[in-house]
Amino acid sequence: KAPAEEPVFLSRDEFDLIHSTITPHWRPLTLWLVATGMRFSEATALTVGDIDAREKTARVSKAWKAKRGAPRLAGPKSKAGRRTIDVPDRALAVVDLDRPPTDLLFLNTVGSRVTYEAFYKRWYAARLKHGIACSPHDLRHTCASWMIAAGVPLPVIQSHLGHESITVTVGTYGHLDRSSRRAAADAALRRAAREARADALSRDRTLRALESAARAARRLRRCCSGAARRRAARTRRRSG
């Protein structure tokens, strides 16, 4: 898929249509890709030993590279790509773990490694039947969109997908994260309300202080006025 193309986020119904139509042999890999959000090169490089069924995790430590010469196993796309992720029960249920740990987790129909070309041929036929324009890589985008819809924070999604920077995650999926935007807006409103209450309280305290000072000044004037009248009365009595 060309990098310039916009990501496609499949609905669950759209995914189910493709999943139910694709050749049965390729359904486990199709489900695994959307359930884990792994890159195709990562998922097809997994071995049985990378899966911990008890902890329900998968260790991503390698990926297929084929830019020059024959395909070879190497590290993931970036340092952040080397990760251990949680795997849902539904995905674990479709893989055969009762094999030697060095066996590839996914194999083609003749027991060899899965190539993108072989998978895409079946994928294309299935999605074309339903008129859904998307690529296998869009299963990774779809996984992220479903996580966002479930309320998973973007930094967690960044770690799960193996993005080197949060800016990649935000740039690709940030527009889908309406809940965080609503939370941010609510937080801003709550802060504004707190500040307004604090200002009102401060003004109220200032007003009470001014009123108290005014009352004290009036009492002082009354006291001074009373003392002056008493002095004047004493002076008149002495003069009389």
Side-chain angles (χ1 to χ4, degrees):
K1 181 175 180 177
E5 292 183 19
E6 290 294 322
V8 175
F9 307 104
L10 299 174
S11 69
R12 293 184 184 275
D13 287 343
E14 288 173 329
F15 170 76
D16 288 342
L17 284 173
I18 294 175
H19 182 251
S20 63
T21 304
I22 202 167
T23 310
H25 178 83
W26 301 100
R27 288 175 190 169
L29 177 56
T30 304
L31 178 62
W32 185 273
L33 290 170
V34 81
T36 66
M38 286 186 186
R39 300 176 178 92
F40 186 88
S41 61
E42 296 171 341
T44 54
L46 289 172
T47 58
V48 172
D50 290 324
I51 312 304
D52 189 329
R54 179 177 298 178
E55 295 297 325
K56 299 180 181 180
T57 61
R59 177 63 180 165
V60 181
S61 61
K62 52 193 177 296
W64 288 105
K65 308 289 183 181
K67 288 186 177 181
R68 295 179 182 177
R72 60 185 178 83
L73 284 174
K77 185 176 180 180
S78 65
K79 183 178 179 180
R82 192 177 297 272
R83 63 202 187 278
T84 298
I85 66 170
D86 294 319
V87 179
D89 291 333
R90 187 183 178 194
L92 289 173
V94 300
V95 293
D96 178 14
L97 300 179
D98 191 21
R99 294 181 288 146
T102 55
D103 280 8
L104 288 171
L105 188 64
F106 297 102
L107 300 169
N108 62 19
T109 55
V110 294
S112 301
R113 78 173 188 90
V114 175
T115 64
Y116 185 85
E117 291 75 18
F119 180 78
Y120 186 79
K121 181 179 179 180
R122 280 77 179 183
W123 170 269
Y124 180 82
R127 68 94 171 164
L128 187 65
K129 180 177 180 178
H130 300 289
I132 302 172
C134 58
S135 77
H137 190 71
D138 287 317
L139 293 175
R140 177 171 165 86
H141 295 315
T142 297
C143 174
S145 71
W146 290 359
M147 292 175 74
I148 289 171
V152 179
L154 287 177
V156 176
I157 296 174
Q158 173 200 357
S159 176
H160 184 88
L161 296 181
H163 286 161
E164 189 71 21
S165 169
I166 188 63
T167 57
V168 175
T169 314
V170 172
T172 308
Y173 309 114
H175 66 288
L176 301 176
D177 190 16
R178 304 305 308 176
S179 61
S180 291
R181 296 187 182 190
R182 285 193 293 269
D186 290 343
L189 286 174
R190 288 195 297 271
R191 179 175 180 179
R194 287 196 301 269
E195 291 176 348
R197 287 195 296 271
D199 288 344
L201 182 60
S202 177
R203 287 194 298 270
D204 186 54
R205 287 173 177 170
T206 301
L207 182 59
R208 288 200 299 269
L210 290 172
E211 290 175 345
S212 178
R215 288 194 296 270
R218 287 195 294 271
R219 286 196 298 271
L220 181 60
R221 285 196 297 271
R222 286 196 297 269
C223 289
C224 291
S225 185
R229 286 196 298 272
R230 288 192 292 275
R231 284 197 300 272
R234 287 196 295 270
T235 300
R236 285 195 299 271
R237 285 195 296 271
R238 285 196 295 268
S239 300

